[in-house]
Amino acid sequence: RTYTENSRGGQGSAFVYSDDYLVTNEHVVGDADEIYVRYRESGWIESAVVAVDAYSDLAVIEVTDKPASATPLSFVEADPGVGTEVVAIGNPFGLSGSVSAGIVSGIDRTLPAANGFSIPDAVQTDAAVNPGNSGGPLVTLDGTVVGVINSGGGDNIGFAISAALTRRVVPSLIDAGGYDHSYLGVRLTDLTPPIVEANDLQTAEGVYIDEVVTDGPAEGVLEPSDGEDVVNGVRVGVGGDVVVAMDETPTPSRQHLSSFLALETTPGDTIAVDVLRAGSRETVDLTLGERPEI
């Protein structure tokens, strides 16, 4: 449970990451002045936030007086298959220690994050997820964490921050007090039929560069739209690059591109970007920046 000045507090779930730390969502702890955790075998224990990352909606809480029965959970090493049986564990509507069963309904989903960015590689489930489940684990039947529950509405669809992204972010939150996300500095659009037609493309796989941020990493490297066209009543950009691969990894959609950046790169890396430009395929080198602070 979290409390801020002049508020009644909020609540969510968390799980043991190591002997000294719990993992939960950033939106669970927010800017709380006081943090309390409660285990199955304890009362409320005051704790402290180590660090948060709004771009992945993850947070780490330092723990004291942890019961011996509260042991760390391990994470899956690879994406779970669609149909894998899972259990959501948490505190929905304040009902502590609740579990709900379901399956992995999908992987590599995209969730909204801060400042117009997105959280890639999320796991979708049909296990019942309600307010209070946020920050709890989504686990396989052997208790291995598939993801950190992020959102849901009880309508047979919920989402979790993937184990792969959590494994990258959480150690940095503990060791460095933050996590630096790779940054392109562009506005991306999936290749829709109107964009394909307006740009006379021979492929429908790739990511269209509609805009490049001034002074961003992609300025002078990637080409944005230089005009507009109307196709079947839809106004679309023309003249921009289409990114089809990064470091030889295909990027058929924004989800694939975002997952590659999040899971395979760090700020300062220089990557080879394959683009379709003016009817030809070219390779350009781009040095990634760091997402702006919130």
Side-chain angles (χ1 to χ4, degrees), residues 12 17 43 48 63 68 76 80 106 117 136 145 163 172 194 215 237 275 278:
Y17 175 80
V63 297
V76 296
F117 289 94
V145 178
S172 181
D215 296 328
V275 300

Side-chain angles (χ1 to χ4, degrees), residues 1-3 10-17 21-32 34-37 48-62 75 88-92 111-113 119-120 122-123 129-138 145-152 158-163 165-166 169-170 173:
R1 183 176 291 269
T2 64
Y3 293 91
Q11 62 183 2
S13 304
F15 62 94
V16 179
Y17 175 80
Y21 303 106
L22 307 179
V23 167
T24 186
N25 285 150
E26 183 274 340
H27 79 259
V28 169
V29 299
D31 56 357
E34 300 176 13
I35 302 289
Y36 294 86
V37 299
V49 176
V50 174
V52 302
D53 177 49
Y55 286 130
S56 63
D57 195 25
L58 292 171
V60 175
I61 299 173
E62 189 170 12
F75 291 80
I89 304 174
N91 183 46
L111 305 177
I119 302 171
V123 178
V129 173
N130 291 283
N133 274 115
S134 292
L138 182 70
V145 178
V146 167
V148 182
I149 297 168
N150 162 270
S151 60
F159 297 97
I161 311 305
S162 72
L165 185 57
T166 305
V169 172
V170 168
L173 294 182

Side-chain angles (χ1 to χ4, degrees), residues 105-138:
S105 305
I107 58 174
D108 202 19
R109 303 306 196 209
T110 300
L111 305 177
N115 283 9
F117 289 94
S118 60
I119 302 171
D121 198 44
V123 178
Q124 178 187 337
T125 181
D126 67 348
V129 173
N130 291 283
N133 274 115
S134 292
L138 182 70

